[in-house]
Amino acid sequence: MFTLSDMWTFCWSFFVILPIVAILHQLGHIMVAWMFGAKVSFALGRGKKVLKIGVVEIRRIYFLDAF
């Protein structure tokens, strides 16, 4: 059972570990598509665009699609 002392672990997992896993997951898709000759762009998340640098695009809800 979770208690209040587990909140630090939950926050660490939710805001740090889960986004890292989401990025690695999306990079796997990008690498395979690139290997098969597809034109790729890296968009992470859903919602409104927050940041775009080259082909990399970060959206507001940035780790939702990797669940």
Side-chain angles (χ1 to χ4, degrees), residues 14-31:
F14 191 77
F15 293 111
V16 176
I17 302 299
L18 188 59
I20 290 172
V21 169
I23 290 169
L24 291 175
H25 177 86
Q26 292 298 327
L27 283 175
H29 288 283
I30 295 291
M31 287 176 50

Side-chain angles (χ1 to χ4, degrees), residues 21-50:
V21 169
I23 290 169
L24 291 175
H25 177 86
Q26 292 298 327
L27 283 175
H29 288 283
I30 295 291
M31 287 176 50
V32 171
W34 179 72
M35 286 171 34
F36 282 97
K39 183 179 177 185
V40 297
S41 65
F42 186 77
L44 187 62
R46 290 186 182 174
K48 294 183 180 180
K49 190 183 336 177
V50 175

Side-chain angles (χ1 to χ4, degrees), residues 36-66:
F36 282 97
K39 183 179 177 185
V40 297
S41 65
F42 186 77
L44 187 62
R46 290 186 182 174
K48 294 183 180 180
K49 190 183 336 177
V50 175
L51 177 69
K52 181 172 175 143
I53 302 172
V55 297
V56 177
E57 187 174 292
I58 306 293
R59 297 184 175 258
R60 185 176 288 172
I61 306 172
Y62 58 96
F63 54 85
L64 183 63
D65 291 335

Side-chain angles (χ1 to χ4, degrees), residues 3-16:
T3 62
L4 284 178
S5 63
D6 296 323
M7 287 304 290
W8 172 249
T9 304
F10 171 77
C11 289
W12 172 257
S13 299
F14 191 77
F15 293 111
V16 176

